[in-house]
Amino acid sequence: MKKIFFIALLGALLGVAISYFILYSELQEAFKYSFFDGLLASLLGTIVALIIAKSSLFLNRFFPWHKNVGIRLFIGLVVHFTLAYFLVFSVFYCYQLFFFEVTSFFNRYFYAQIKIGVILLLLILIFEVIYFALFSYYSYSKFQIEIVKQERKQIELQLKALKSQLSPHFLFNCLNTISSLIYKDENSAEKFIRRLAKMYDFTLKSYHQKLITVQQELDFVNSYIFLLQTRFKNKFSVVISVSDAVLLTKIPPLTLQMLVENAVKHNQLLQEKPLEILISSTKTAIIVENVITKTPLNVTSFNIGLNNINSRYLLLINKTISVVSGHTFRVQIPIIE
């Protein structure tokens, strides 16, 4: 509302100023600028200003500034000048015809028409330049705000992934494993503690990073796998077959670990039917695939882990992960060069 009021007020002031200048330059000694002249000029200026403002929004839909500045500037200049000159000329002609009965309008006011055209052209050119500057500033500000929002969203998603690693349930299981190993195998208990510490150290250091190398993620996953294999023994196995070229590419942190964790969470680990997970790669993606065993009791899938990974990929590269469930459960995640 404030914007419309400002445009209308500016148009009214310009209308009065231009009409005063034109009438004074043409009539000179016989010039008398009445209240009615000012009222009519301000009304005309307001209408022209509002029409130009509305038509700018219309042109932005079909000729956006960000696609081609030159074409949008030229089209805006031509369209707005045509509209403004036609309206001003029509009102000026009717005003002279009805109130002064001028018989030879075009000859009598030839120079006035040129003055009006030049003034309108300059004003509209200034308007287009200022409008473009404001549009650029608005677009830049909006872009910066979107970047901040995406970064905040990315951090929130990675914090959720971090919380899953710091969950009391996971820590409780690890502590139980450590307590049982201390009396059975001190060396295994020490290795378990070191791997657990390494895993938590990596988690705490990487949560603020958008991307890490596949090699870094696999080092973390190997520590996580060691903890699981210590707990479940022969009920669980992972085969990693990732090409050397892929190791230097990047993925969001905790991605592969969350997929391994999901496989363990949603499948029973049985001696007679162990859970088998394969981590492989193509030129453009990493594939995590596991056999499907019986679903554990009291486990409900809300796809929180998969949604977390998918949301991070959408924010980072505007791509989604691929999930296929059949005889096996297969997740394909894009790699980032």
Side-chain angles (χ1 to χ4, degrees), residues 278-305:
L278 172 63
I279 302 176
S280 59
S281 65
T282 64
K283 291 182 179 180
T284 59
I286 297 178
I287 301 166
V288 179
E289 187 173 12
N290 65 270
V291 297
I292 298 176
T293 66
K294 293 180 180 180
T295 303
L297 299 176
N298 301 322
V299 173
T300 303
S301 176
F302 297 103
N303 293 323
I304 295 175

mmCIF file of all heavy atoms in Angstrom, residues 278-305:
data_model
loop_
_atom_site.group_PDB
_atom_site.id
_atom_site.type_symbol
_atom_site.label_atom_id
_atom_site.label_comp_id
_atom_site.label_asym_id
_atom_site.label_seq_id
_atom_site.Cartn_x
_atom_site.Cartn_y
_atom_site.Cartn_z
ATOM 1 N N LEU A 278 26.293 -54.764 0.778
ATOM 2 C CA LEU A 278 27.300 -54.514 -0.260
ATOM 3 C C LEU A 278 27.324 -53.023 -0.571
ATOM 4 O O LEU A 278 26.291 -52.423 -0.891
ATOM 5 C CB LEU A 278 26.968 -55.312 -1.529
ATOM 6 C CG LEU A 278 27.839 -55.001 -2.757
ATOM 7 C CD1 LEU A 278 29.305 -55.361 -2.487
ATOM 8 C CD2 LEU A 278 27.318 -55.739 -3.987
ATOM 9 N N ILE A 279 28.513 -52.444 -0.462
ATOM 10 C CA ILE A 279 28.708 -51.036 -0.842
ATOM 11 C C ILE A 279 29.571 -51.019 -2.094
ATOM 12 O O ILE A 279 30.752 -51.380 -2.058
ATOM 13 C CB ILE A 279 29.381 -50.227 0.282
ATOM 14 C CG1 ILE A 279 28.542 -50.290 1.561
ATOM 15 C CG2 ILE A 279 29.589 -48.776 -0.139
ATOM 16 C CD1 ILE A 279 29.187 -49.592 2.755
ATOM 17 N N SER A 280 28.995 -50.626 -3.217
ATOM 18 C CA SER A 280 29.705 -50.615 -4.498
ATOM 19 C C SER A 280 29.559 -49.244 -5.153
ATOM 20 O O SER A 280 28.907 -48.340 -4.606
ATOM 21 C CB SER A 280 29.160 -51.715 -5.415
ATOM 22 O OG SER A 280 27.774 -51.528 -5.638
ATOM 23 N N SER A 281 30.132 -49.094 -6.332
ATOM 24 C CA SER A 281 30.091 -47.789 -6.990
ATOM 25 C C SER A 281 30.013 -47.925 -8.499
ATOM 26 O O SER A 281 30.405 -48.951 -9.077
ATOM 27 C CB SER A 281 31.332 -46.969 -6.623
ATOM 28 O OG SER A 281 32.501 -47.573 -7.137
ATOM 29 N N THR A 282 29.476 -46.883 -9.126
ATOM 30 C CA THR A 282 29.544 -46.693 -10.573
ATOM 31 C C THR A 282 30.316 -45.394 -10.804
ATOM 32 O O THR A 282 30.858 -44.818 -9.870
ATOM 33 C CB THR A 282 28.139 -46.606 -11.183
ATOM 34 O OG1 THR A 282 27.470 -45.429 -10.678
ATOM 35 C CG2 THR A 282 27.301 -47.829 -10.827
ATOM 36 N N LYS A 283 30.313 -44.915 -12.014
ATOM 37 C CA LYS A 283 31.028 -43.672 -12.304
ATOM 38 C C LYS A 283 30.342 -42.457 -11.687
ATOM 39 O O LYS A 283 30.977 -41.439 -11.427
ATOM 40 C CB LYS A 283 31.157 -43.474 -13.814
ATOM 41 C CG LYS A 283 32.089 -44.473 -14.483
ATOM 42 C CD LYS A 283 32.193 -44.182 -15.975
ATOM 43 C CE LYS A 283 33.156 -45.163 -16.649
ATOM 44 N NZ LYS A 283 33.278 -44.893 -18.101
ATOM 45 N N THR A 284 29.048 -42.576 -11.456
ATOM 46 C CA THR A 284 28.283 -41.409 -10.992
ATOM 47 C C THR A 284 27.588 -41.604 -9.646
ATOM 48 O O THR A 284 26.972 -40.663 -9.141
ATOM 49 C CB THR A 284 27.209 -41.032 -12.024
ATOM 50 O OG1 THR A 284 26.329 -42.158 -12.228
ATOM 51 C CG2 THR A 284 27.842 -40.635 -13.355
ATOM 52 N N ALA A 285 27.663 -42.791 -9.077
ATOM 53 C CA ALA A 285 26.900 -43.035 -7.853
ATOM 54 C C ALA A 285 27.556 -44.101 -6.985
ATOM 55 O O ALA A 285 28.397 -44.886 -7.446
ATOM 56 C CB ALA A 285 25.475 -43.456 -8.197
ATOM 57 N N ILE A 286 27.145 -44.121 -5.730
ATOM 58 C CA ILE A 286 27.520 -45.183 -4.795
ATOM 59 C C ILE A 286 26.244 -45.943 -4.443
ATOM 60 O O ILE A 286 25.196 -45.341 -4.193
ATOM 61 C CB ILE A 286 28.165 -44.607 -3.522
ATOM 62 C CG1 ILE A 286 29.467 -43.894 -3.872
ATOM 63 C CG2 ILE A 286 28.438 -45.715 -2.506
ATOM 64 C CD1 ILE A 286 30.145 -43.249 -2.678
ATOM 65 N N ILE A 287 26.351 -47.259 -4.433
ATOM 66 C CA ILE A 287 25.180 -48.110 -4.204
ATOM 67 C C ILE A 287 25.370 -48.872 -2.893
ATOM 68 O O ILE A 287 26.407 -49.503 -2.674
ATOM 69 C CB ILE A 287 24.979 -49.095 -5.369
ATOM 70 C CG1 ILE A 287 24.784 -48.333 -6.679
ATOM 71 C CG2 ILE A 287 23.787 -50.007 -5.092
ATOM 72 C CD1 ILE A 287 24.907 -49.192 -7.908
ATOM 73 N N VAL A 288 24.362 -48.780 -2.041
ATOM 74 C CA VAL A 288 24.343 -49.552 -0.796
ATOM 75 C C VAL A 288 23.168 -50.506 -0.876
ATOM 76 O O VAL A 288 22.014 -50.084 -0.979
ATOM 77 C CB VAL A 288 24.214 -48.634 0.436
ATOM 78 C CG1 VAL A 288 24.181 -49.479 1.713
ATOM 79 C CG2 VAL A 288 25.365 -47.632 0.479
ATOM 80 N N GLU A 289 23.469 -51.798 -0.832
ATOM 81 C CA GLU A 289 22.435 -52.820 -1.046
ATOM 82 C C GLU A 289 22.537 -53.885 0.042
ATOM 83 O O GLU A 289 23.640 -54.294 0.413
ATOM 84 C CB GLU A 289 22.624 -53.450 -2.431
ATOM 85 C CG GLU A 289 21.531 -54.408 -2.847
ATOM 86 C CD GLU A 289 21.715 -54.861 -4.297
ATOM 87 O OE1 GLU A 289 22.799 -54.605 -4.863
ATOM 88 O OE2 GLU A 289 20.789 -55.474 -4.851
ATOM 89 N N ASN A 290 21.396 -54.290 0.543
ATOM 90 C CA ASN A 290 21.401 -55.336 1.565
ATOM 91 C C ASN A 290 20.292 -56.337 1.313
ATOM 92 O O ASN A 290 19.245 -56.004 0.736
ATOM 93 C CB ASN A 290 21.243 -54.725 2.965
ATOM 94 C CG ASN A 290 19.903 -54.041 3.163
ATOM 95 O OD1 ASN A 290 19.780 -52.859 2.888
ATOM 96 N ND2 ASN A 290 18.913 -54.774 3.673
ATOM 97 N N VAL A 291 20.526 -57.580 1.734
ATOM 98 C CA VAL A 291 19.476 -58.589 1.662
ATOM 99 C C VAL A 291 18.397 -58.237 2.682
ATOM 100 O O VAL A 291 18.664 -57.555 3.676
ATOM 101 C CB VAL A 291 20.029 -60.005 1.946
ATOM 102 C CG1 VAL A 291 21.051 -60.396 0.894
ATOM 103 C CG2 VAL A 291 20.648 -60.066 3.337
ATOM 104 N N ILE A 292 17.195 -58.664 2.436
ATOM 105 C CA ILE A 292 16.084 -58.370 3.336
ATOM 106 C C ILE A 292 15.774 -59.609 4.163
ATOM 107 O O ILE A 292 15.464 -60.675 3.613
ATOM 108 C CB ILE A 292 14.833 -57.923 2.560
ATOM 109 C CG1 ILE A 292 15.140 -56.628 1.797
ATOM 110 C CG2 ILE A 292 13.649 -57.705 3.501
ATOM 111 C CD1 ILE A 292 13.998 -56.149 0.922
ATOM 112 N N THR A 293 15.897 -59.483 5.480
ATOM 113 C CA THR A 293 15.553 -60.574 6.384
ATOM 114 C C THR A 293 14.247 -60.226 7.091
ATOM 115 O O THR A 293 13.536 -59.302 6.704
ATOM 116 C CB THR A 293 16.683 -60.804 7.402
ATOM 117 O OG1 THR A 293 16.776 -59.654 8.256
ATOM 118 C CG2 THR A 293 18.015 -61.008 6.697
ATOM 119 N N LYS A 294 13.949 -60.933 8.134
ATOM 120 C CA LYS A 294 12.726 -60.643 8.880
ATOM 121 C C LYS A 294 12.827 -59.280 9.557
ATOM 122 O O LYS A 294 13.895 -58.870 10.003
ATOM 123 C CB LYS A 294 12.484 -61.711 9.947
ATOM 124 C CG LYS A 294 12.158 -63.085 9.389
ATOM 125 C CD LYS A 294 11.925 -64.064 10.520
ATOM 126 C CE LYS A 294 11.598 -65.454 9.982
ATOM 127 N NZ LYS A 294 11.365 -66.417 11.088
ATOM 128 N N THR A 295 11.671 -58.607 9.633
ATOM 129 C CA THR A 295 11.640 -57.301 10.285
ATOM 130 C C THR A 295 11.631 -57.485 11.798
ATOM 131 O O THR A 295 10.836 -58.272 12.324
ATOM 132 C CB THR A 295 10.390 -56.513 9.857
ATOM 133 O OG1 THR A 295 10.374 -56.390 8.440
ATOM 134 C CG2 THR A 295 10.377 -55.130 10.488
ATOM 135 N N PRO A 296 12.494 -56.794 12.528
ATOM 136 C CA PRO A 296 12.510 -56.925 13.992
ATOM 137 C C PRO A 296 11.187 -56.483 14.600
ATOM 138 O O PRO A 296 10.461 -55.656 14.035
ATOM 139 C CB PRO A 296 13.645 -55.984 14.419
ATOM 140 C CG PRO A 296 14.485 -55.820 13.194
ATOM 141 C CD PRO A 296 13.540 -55.909 12.036
ATOM 142 N N LEU A 297 10.883 -57.025 15.751
ATOM 143 C CA LEU A 297 9.655 -56.656 16.444
ATOM 144 C C LEU A 297 9.769 -55.230 16.981
ATOM 145 O O LEU A 297 10.849 -54.765 17.348
ATOM 146 C CB LEU A 297 9.386 -57.628 17.597
ATOM 147 C CG LEU A 297 9.181 -59.100 17.204
ATOM 148 C CD1 LEU A 297 9.032 -59.954 18.461
ATOM 149 C CD2 LEU A 297 7.964 -59.255 16.295
ATOM 150 N N ASN A 298 8.625 -54.548 17.033
ATOM 151 C CA ASN A 298 8.527 -53.191 17.597
ATOM 152 C C ASN A 298 9.405 -52.165 16.880
ATOM 153 O O ASN A 298 9.904 -51.209 17.489
ATOM 154 C CB ASN A 298 8.893 -53.202 19.095
ATOM 155 C CG ASN A 298 7.987 -54.114 19.902
ATOM 156 O OD1 ASN A 298 6.789 -54.189 19.647
ATOM 157 N ND2 ASN A 298 8.569 -54.815 20.868
ATOM 158 N N VAL A 299 9.616 -52.380 15.592
ATOM 159 C CA VAL A 299 10.365 -51.416 14.781
ATOM 160 C C VAL A 299 9.453 -50.895 13.690
ATOM 161 O O VAL A 299 8.951 -51.659 12.858
ATOM 162 C CB VAL A 299 11.625 -52.048 14.159
ATOM 163 C CG1 VAL A 299 12.275 -51.066 13.175
ATOM 164 C CG2 VAL A 299 12.616 -52.430 15.248
ATOM 165 N N THR A 300 9.206 -49.604 13.693
ATOM 166 C CA THR A 300 8.375 -48.967 12.675
ATOM 167 C C THR A 300 9.236 -48.048 11.827
ATOM 168 O O THR A 300 10.008 -47.246 12.358
ATOM 169 C CB THR A 300 7.245 -48.137 13.322
ATOM 170 O OG1 THR A 300 6.483 -48.990 14.175
ATOM 171 C CG2 THR A 300 6.335 -47.539 12.251
ATOM 172 N N SER A 301 9.098 -48.183 10.511
ATOM 173 C CA SER A 301 9.915 -47.365 9.604
ATOM 174 C C SER A 301 9.195 -46.080 9.225
ATOM 175 O O SER A 301 8.076 -46.119 8.715
ATOM 176 C CB SER A 301 10.244 -48.160 8.337
ATOM 177 O OG SER A 301 10.956 -47.349 7.428
ATOM 178 N N PHE A 302 9.831 -44.950 9.513
ATOM 179 C CA PHE A 302 9.312 -43.655 9.094
ATOM 180 C C PHE A 302 10.189 -43.021 8.006
ATOM 181 O O PHE A 302 9.974 -41.884 7.603
ATOM 182 C CB PHE A 302 9.236 -42.699 10.299
ATOM 183 C CG PHE A 302 8.278 -43.164 11.361
ATOM 184 C CD1 PHE A 302 8.748 -43.750 12.522
ATOM 185 C CD2 PHE A 302 6.905 -43.011 11.192
ATOM 186 C CE1 PHE A 302 7.869 -44.172 13.505
ATOM 187 C CE2 PHE A 302 6.023 -43.429 12.180
ATOM 188 C CZ PHE A 302 6.500 -44.014 13.339
ATOM 189 N N ASN A 303 11.185 -43.788 7.542
ATOM 190 C CA ASN A 303 12.106 -43.315 6.493
ATOM 191 C C ASN A 303 12.792 -42.005 6.865
ATOM 192 O O ASN A 303 13.100 -41.185 5.989
ATOM 193 C CB ASN A 303 11.368 -43.141 5.155
ATOM 194 C CG ASN A 303 10.900 -44.467 4.578
ATOM 195 O OD1 ASN A 303 11.604 -45.473 4.692
ATOM 196 N ND2 ASN A 303 9.732 -44.461 3.969
ATOM 197 N N ILE A 304 13.032 -41.802 8.154
ATOM 198 C CA ILE A 304 13.655 -40.557 8.588
ATOM 199 C C ILE A 304 15.073 -40.440 8.041
ATOM 200 O O ILE A 304 15.491 -39.385 7.558
ATOM 201 C CB ILE A 304 13.650 -40.465 10.128
ATOM 202 C CG1 ILE A 304 12.204 -40.371 10.641
ATOM 203 C CG2 ILE A 304 14.461 -39.260 10.602
ATOM 204 C CD1 ILE A 304 12.081 -40.391 12.142
ATOM 205 N N GLY A 305 15.842 -41.543 8.122
ATOM 206 C CA GLY A 305 17.212 -41.519 7.618
ATOM 207 C C GLY A 305 17.274 -41.250 6.132
ATOM 208 O O GLY A 305 18.063 -40.430 5.658
#
